[in-house]
Amino acid sequence: MFILTPKPDYKKIETEVLTFWKNKKIFARSISERPESKKFVFYEGPPTANGHPGIHHIIARAYKDIIPRYKTMRGFRVPRQAGWDTHGLPVELEVEKMLGISGKDKIESLTPTKRESIIKFNQLCKENVFKYQKEWERVTERIGYWIDMDNPYITFKNEYIEKLWGIIKIIWSKGFLYQDYKVLPYCFRCGTGLSSHEVAQEFKDKTDTSIFVKFKSASEENTFFLAWTTTPWTLPGNVALAVGKEIKYGKYQLETGKKIILAENLALKILGEKATKIDLFIGADLVGQKYEPIFNIEKTHKDQFTILPGDFVSTSEGSGIVHTAVMYGEDDFALSKKFNLPTIHTVDPKGNFTDQVKKLAGKNIFIANQIIIDDLKQRDLLFKELKITHSYPFCWRCHNPLIYYAKESWFIAMKKLRSQLVSNNEKINWIPAHLKHGRFGNWLDETKDWALSR
Ligand SMILES: [Zn+2]
């Protein structure tokens, strides 16, 4: 029996309630005394126990407590199983730090054999992952969150992992699993793709040579499309040029007699005052025109080396014509999907040119930058070069500049499920209601295929 006072001692009251719950096993009884036939099952969205619980966890746990309690009061039997998320980079990084090592190679040579090294590293990760388990349990109990922490599911347990493989098999047998490329920030020195969280770790100013390159029109004598790039090494991988359909482009005659096509509003800045405008059109008029490849790369598709429409093209910088190397840029890759362009690497995972690029085969891309620029100059395909200093992502592990690189990845075809997801959302009673067609609804409308391996 509690007596209400004008100045209640909450801490004391709460402790008394908690003790009462504990002694009388109220949580366990709130489950066992409800009928087996009327179940409402809750699995905790598992936190990682290698970090301290924070205030945001308390809010989330309070919400997670409300629904099961409500269901219990409605007469349901509500088993609630806690879980621990033990996978992922945070744990691995913590252990690497502890061992004073960094990267895959170092992990694999912890002991004389690779296999033993991986076993040892995994074991250390498994130990490290429960570093703050006691704190988590204490906080959970203290805030009165009812969850079965004595029998948690743990994501590193084989039975859990096997379950996931079982789910992937179901997805596969339904035809929803496929392999494709995903363009991601990549460090060729470490040989690994980086998450956006990792990329954000290290941005530095980097000075590069940006170049304006002349792509010779295949149909019109002495006429060139001008494209701009800060990554000359992607030029051998060029498969298309992109223009904005609505953007205005001009054809300009230079003093040399050569004709250059580029966005009208950038012409003065790039070509100077002596160029004469001889024609004006919009991007849509250019779409479908062909140009000559600047490197002797095999042509495997009819739309290769063609002007294509891209809604990512802007005239805020460059020339308004975007050089498209589908394996080395996100927008570029999306364009390849739309027009079925060939997806062939000209750079290997170690950052060297493949045999496909004859003159540069085996050369590192950053070393090749200058060779490419000199070569273009010699062939009179370089219009202009400019030094630019921009904020550029570096690998936080080895401090090598990152590149965007298409890596093979497994995908779940979520887009096929979009209409089903959208119609199921209609059945959900959202609180607050605006989330239904707002944040969540918008997210469903934009459903993308899910790249689940990196
Ligand atoms: Zn690296």
Side-chain angles (χ1 to χ4, degrees), residues 293-391:
I294 48 174
F295 286 88
N296 190 17
I297 305 291
E298 198 185 342
K299 182 173 172 172
T300 54
H301 190 270
K302 68 173 174 55
D303 277 341
Q304 217 170 329
F305 313 126
T306 304
I307 311 281
L308 298 173
D311 47 20
F312 52 87
V313 180
S314 84
T315 56
S316 57
E317 55 184 357
S319 64
I321 299 179
V322 175
H323 138 65
T324 300
V326 299
M327 303 305 266
Y328 312 109
E330 239 176 310
D331 289 333
D332 310 52
F333 192 77
L335 201 70
S336 84
K337 289 277 111 182
K338 211 164 164 185
F339 292 96
N340 218 352
L341 296 168
T343 47
I344 298 164
H345 266 303
T346 43
V347 174
D348 71 16
K350 290 196 175 318
N352 300 322
F353 280 102
T354 62
D355 294 343
Q356 157 102 269
V357 192
K358 290 178 187 70
K359 276 191 218 164
L360 298 166
K363 280 224 156 47
N364 176 270
I365 52 169
F366 291 144
I367 293 167
N369 269 340
Q370 194 53 48
I371 303 174
I372 291 171
I373 293 172
D374 292 342
D375 177 55
L376 293 173
K377 225 182 267 177
Q378 208 188 357
R379 293 196 277 148
D380 195 22
L381 293 176
L382 186 79
F383 183 77
K384 202 179 203 174
E385 57 182 305
L386 292 171
K387 292 277 176 218
I388 60 155
T389 301
H390 51 172
S391 178

Side-chain angles (χ1 to χ4, degrees), residues 204-210 228 230 317 386-392 394:
K204 282 193 291 204
D205 277 352
K206 182 169 183 281
T207 301
D208 281 313
T209 308
S210 76
W228 181 69
T230 58
E317 55 184 357
L386 292 171
K387 292 277 176 218
I388 60 155
T389 301
H390 51 172
S391 178
Y392 194 92
F394 285 74

Side-chain angles (χ1 to χ4, degrees), residues 171 176-178 410-415 448-452:
I171 295 169
F176 284 115
L177 198 68
Y178 68 93
W410 287 97
F411 287 81
I412 296 178
M414 293 304 293
K415 276 191 279 192
K448 290 186 175 63
D449 286 354
W450 177 20
L452 73 161

Side-chain angles (χ1 to χ4, degrees), residues 14 61 74 153 180 190 198 202 220 249 282 285 296-297 299-300 311 336 353 356 427 436-437 442-443 445:
E14 287 174 9
R61 280 169 122 64
R74 301 286 293 182
Y153 72 96
D180 197 359
C190 297
E198 289 176 286
E202 194 163 317
E220 220 174 311
Y249 292 87
I282 56 165
D285 299 328
N296 190 17
I297 305 291
K299 182 173 172 172
T300 54
D311 47 20
S336 84
F353 280 102
Q356 157 102 269
K427 298 177 200 154
K436 182 177 197 155
H437 297 122
N442 291 338
W443 183 66
D445 287 340

Side-chain angles (χ1 to χ4, degrees), residues 187 189-190 192 395 397-400 402:
C187 174
R189 202 156 142 195
C190 297
T192 170
C395 176
R397 271 180 204 278
C398 74
H399 314 295
N400 202 43
L402 300 177

